[in-house]
Amino acid sequence: MNWDLFEGLLSGVNKYSTAFGRIWLSLVFIFRLLVYVVAAERVWSDDHKDFDCNTRQPGCTNVCFDHFFPVSHIRLWALQLILVTCPSLLVIMHVAYREAKEQRYRAAGGDNGRCLYPNPGKKHGGLWWTYMLSLVFKAGVDIVFLYIFYHLYRNYTLPRLVKCELSPCPNMVDCFISRPTEKNIFTLFMVVTTCICILLSLIEATYLIGKRCRECVLAGSGDSQDCSPSSAEPMGMEGQVFHGVDYKPPTASIPHMASSPEQPPEEETLP
């Protein structure tokens, strides 16, 4: 793994996230990714090798293992971590697109003090929707995988003994799972951290929606300029007022002279 590239991606995600997003990122990186890489892979490394059945019938052990463990925990967790972190990369790509567009705009228009995005990382317009959809997608992925784990392994636990009577087993045989207690502990730990991540994503989505509604309320009272998530960013013309083509600027009033305008000026008399 290229840790320099990984560190750059984490810095970008952390930069454009809210406080709840930073907590979510720390939880995923420390309590899910590192636990998966450092400990969980070693616990499940002997999964198939130490699955013992009390029979010598060729193929019986493989068939029973495939029946009770159709997908390994490790592979499911790896797929889950990949899918749950991809939306954060989309946010970084959206910000990078804004920055590139801003550079092209300045190169085409010259240095005239105008800009498309004064703050490319600010969550307005399309970036707001991208960030919101990423939160919904992350929470949805975690919920789907929780259901998959529950469907495959009832109550997220592994029994010590399973009974198998599938062909080519000669009769009902007993099969023993290696290290079931340790695997149950890791499974429950990953389930709890996944539930916390779902809760953080929902809280962050609620926070962003509440913040946007507050801006709409302030905009309705005339205290804010923007209340629509899809509205464009300011163009660097704050404080300017635009009028129609038939607008006539006011003229300054000239103060009246002390003498009446009808009265001709006094002529100078030569001495």
Side-chain angles (χ1 to χ4, degrees):
M1 178 182 292
N2 191 340
W3 290 103
D4 293 335
L5 177 61
F6 189 69
E7 181 182 0
L9 293 176
L10 286 178
S11 300
V13 174
N14 185 68
K15 180 180 179 181
Y16 303 118
S17 299
T18 63
F20 298 106
R22 295 186 182 98
I23 297 175
W24 179 91
L25 182 63
S26 302
L27 190 65
V28 169
F29 179 71
I30 298 175
F31 294 100
R32 294 176 69 176
L33 182 60
L34 288 183
V35 169
Y36 168 82
V37 173
V38 174
E41 279 188 322
R42 297 181 181 180
V43 174
W44 269 268
S45 61
D46 57 353
D47 203 15
H48 183 270
K49 182 179 64 176
D50 292 342
F51 183 79
D52 295 329
C53 297
N54 57 356
T55 181
R56 295 296 182 181
Q57 179 69 26
C60 179
T61 301
N62 292 336
V63 170
C64 293
F65 181 85
D66 182 71
H67 175 72
F68 290 105
F69 303 98
V71 183
S72 174
H73 287 66
I74 292 298
R75 290 170 178 82
L76 277 177
W77 283 330
L79 181 61
Q80 181 181 5
L81 289 173
I82 291 173
L83 292 178
V84 86
T85 52
C86 282
S88 299
L89 303 181
L90 293 179
V91 175
I92 299 177
M93 293 172 61
H94 196 151
V95 175
Y97 166 76
R98 280 186 166 188
E99 293 175 347
K101 187 176 180 181
E102 176 68 24
Q103 291 178 358
R104 291 195 302 266
Y105 178 79
R106 291 185 178 180
D111 190 10
N112 54 5
R114 299 179 58 181
C115 57
L116 287 174
Y117 304 104
N119 185 5
K122 190 174 183 180
K123 299 175 187 63
H124 279 283
L127 184 59
W128 190 91
W129 286 108
T130 301
Y131 197 89
M132 181 61 63
L133 290 177
S134 71
L135 294 177
V136 175
F137 184 82
K138 290 187 292 188
V141 167
D142 281 334
I143 292 173
V144 169
F145 273 88
L146 283 179
Y147 173 77
I148 293 175
F149 273 105
Y150 183 82
H151 180 72
L152 294 179
Y153 310 104
R154 189 65 59 181
N155 297 326
Y156 305 108
T157 57
L158 299 175
R160 298 178 181 274
L161 171 68
V162 293
K163 296 182 178 295
C164 179
E165 52 181 352
L166 300 174
S167 177
C169 297
N171 47 32
M172 182 175 292
V173 298
D174 297 333
C175 298
F176 302 90
I177 301 173
S178 65
R179 297 190 284 188
T181 302
E182 188 175 11
K183 292 178 180 178
N184 287 333
I185 292 174
F186 274 100
T187 301
L188 293 178
F189 177 82
M190 296 296 279
V191 168
V192 171
T193 54
T194 300
C195 292
I196 297 175
C197 288
I198 294 173
L199 182 62
L200 286 174
S201 297
L202 296 178
I203 291 175
E204 187 175 9
T206 304
Y207 165 75
L208 291 176
I209 294 175
K211 183 179 179 181
R212 182 59 58 189
C213 292
R214 179 176 176 271
E215 292 178 359
C216 289
V217 172
L218 294 177
S221 61
D223 295 336
S224 178
Q225 296 289 336
D226 178 24
C227 72
S228 174
S230 60
S231 61
E233 272 78 359
M235 301 281 293
M237 299 182 179
E238 295 83 355
Q240 298 188 18
V241 180
F242 296 91
H243 302 280
V245 295
D246 57 345
Y247 173 75
K248 297 180 179 180
T251 58
S253 59
I254 302 175
H256 294 285
M257 302 292 293
S259 60
S260 176
E262 291 83 3
Q263 193 175 19
E266 296 182 359
E267 297 183 359
E268 282 190 25
T269 57
L270 297 175

